[in-house]
Amino acid sequence: MEVIITDSYEEMSQVAAGIIASEIRRKHDLVLGLATGDTPRGTYEELVRLHRSEGLDFSKATTFNLDEYLGLSPVHENSYNYAMQRMLFDHVNINPSNVYVPQGNTDDPEEFCHWYEKKISEAGGIDLQVLGLGGDGHIAFNEPGSSLAGRTRVKALCKQTIEDNARFFDSPDDVPRLALTMGVGTILEARKILLIASGLKKADMVAAFIEGPVTSHITASALQIHTHATVVLDQEAASKLARADYYNWVRDNKHLVQKHVGR
Ligand code: F6R
C-alpha cells in the first residue's frame, strides 16, 4: 500500500484528482469505479476544473458507482445517483450510456446485482476504483463482518453508518436501512485502488485499516492484500498513524523507490 499524507483537504483532493486524471489520460476508455459521500466532493470538483481548463476528456470513459440506498429512485435528492449527477456527471463530457450507478428502486435487487457484476465484467473490469472510508471502517457499504470475498448484493446498514449519514436526511428515521453495494471481492478485482480519507473523525479507522490486522470487521483492511492500493489522506486523518515518517520518506524519495521497490 502506498500512503500519501497531504497538508489539507484541498491538497488531498488535488492529489487524488491528479491520480484519476493521469489514468484517464493514459487510457481514454478507462473503467472508473466511483464513490459518493462528502470526502470525494473536492476530488470531483478538481476533475471538473481539469475538464474545463485542461480538456480532460471523459467521452470514452465508463464509470461504475459502488453503492446506492435501496428504495430510493435515481432522482430522489438523497440518492447517490442524484449526488453523482450534481457533483460530476452533469459537468463533464461523459457519455450517459457509459454511467452505471446501482438502481435503488429496482424491483428485483438480487437480479440487479447479478446484472451489475456482469456489466463490470463485460466492460473489462474496473481499472481504477475510488473509495471513501466509513466511520466503522467500511468500504462501499461493506459493513463490519461482511465477507472479504463478497460480491454486489444487498447489505443492511449498521447503526453507526445510519447515524453518520443522517446528516444528509431530514431525520435519522429517513435513512434507508438497506443498500445495494459492490462487495469487497468485487472491489479487490479492480486493477488499481485509490482510497481517500480526511478529518480527525476518520483517524482511528485510518490507523486501524492501514496498520492493524486484516479483518472483516474493518473491511477497508482488505486493501492490505491488494497489489496496487494508494491511500491519500489529509494531516488530521493521518494523525494516528504510527509509521507516518516512513510513508513520508517513501513519498519524498519516490524517484528512488519507483525504480527499485514494490508496494
Ligand atoms: C459511498 C461509499 C461509502 C463512503 C463512506 C464515507 O459511495 O461507498 O463507503 O465512502 O461512508 O463517507 P463520507 O465520505 O461521507 O465520510
Side-chain angles (χ1 to χ4, degrees), residues 165-215:
N165 290 4
R167 68 193 190 280
F168 299 112
F169 292 80
D170 290 339
S171 93
D173 290 341
D174 293 340
V175 184
R177 271 24 188 187
L178 302 177
L180 299 167
T181 181
M182 278 188 208
V184 177
T186 320
I187 292 167
L188 290 178
E189 278 172 15
R191 287 174 197 95
K192 294 181 184 174
I193 293 180
L194 169 63
L195 184 146
I196 52 178
S198 79
L200 257 189
K201 63 183 188 304
K202 300 283 172 77
D204 285 321
M205 272 304 157
V206 164
F209 98 78
I210 295 174
E211 296 177 340
V214 175
T215 165

Side-chain angles (χ1 to χ4, degrees), residues 11-160:
E11 195 191 348
M12 177 202 79
S13 303
Q14 279 166 13
V15 170
I19 293 171
I20 299 167
S22 75
E23 292 296 317
I24 295 175
R25 290 190 185 106
R26 186 182 61 79
K27 185 173 186 255
H28 287 118
D29 58 349
L30 193 79
V31 181
L32 183 59
L34 295 172
T36 325
D38 269 341
T39 315
R41 275 176 204 284
T43 304
Y44 297 151
E45 258 171 44
E46 177 64 7
L47 286 176
V48 172
R49 192 193 68 74
L50 290 172
H51 168 67
R52 288 185 178 149
S53 66
E54 295 180 21
L56 183 65
D57 182 13
F58 289 80
S59 64
K60 302 232 165 20
T62 299
T63 61
F64 286 93
N65 263 81
L66 287 167
D67 43 18
E68 177 61 285
Y69 294 112
L70 192 63
L72 299 195
S73 87
V75 293
H76 190 290
E77 60 180 18
N78 289 124
S79 74
Y80 279 175
N81 219 303
Y82 185 88
M84 284 309 301
Q85 295 294 341
R86 297 294 166 278
M87 280 193 288
L88 185 66
F89 302 143
D90 283 351
H91 312 289
V92 295
N93 65 335
I94 191 146
N95 179 346
S97 61
N98 291 345
V99 167
Y100 296 88
V101 182
Q103 194 190 325
N105 61 349
T106 173
D107 290 336
D108 188 342
E110 208 174 317
E111 178 57 30
F112 180 85
C113 292
H114 285 302
W115 177 85
Y116 205 67
E117 287 273 341
K118 195 162 145 264
K119 282 288 161 193
I120 294 173
S121 126
E122 283 171 6
I126 293 172
D127 290 307
L128 174 65
Q129 177 65 59
V130 178
L131 299 172
L133 176 68
D136 61 2
H138 69 215
I139 46 175
F141 276 138
N142 293 286
E143 299 289 42
S146 294
S147 164
L148 297 184
R151 312 301 308 185
T152 304
R153 69 214 183 291
V154 175
K155 277 300 289 186
L157 302 184
C158 73
K159 190 162 169 275
Q160 184 175 353

Side-chain angles (χ1 to χ4, degrees), residues 234-246:
D234 67 4
Q235 283 290 350
E236 288 187 348
S239 59
K240 303 219 168 136
L241 287 168
R243 298 189 184 85
D245 288 350
Y246 170 72

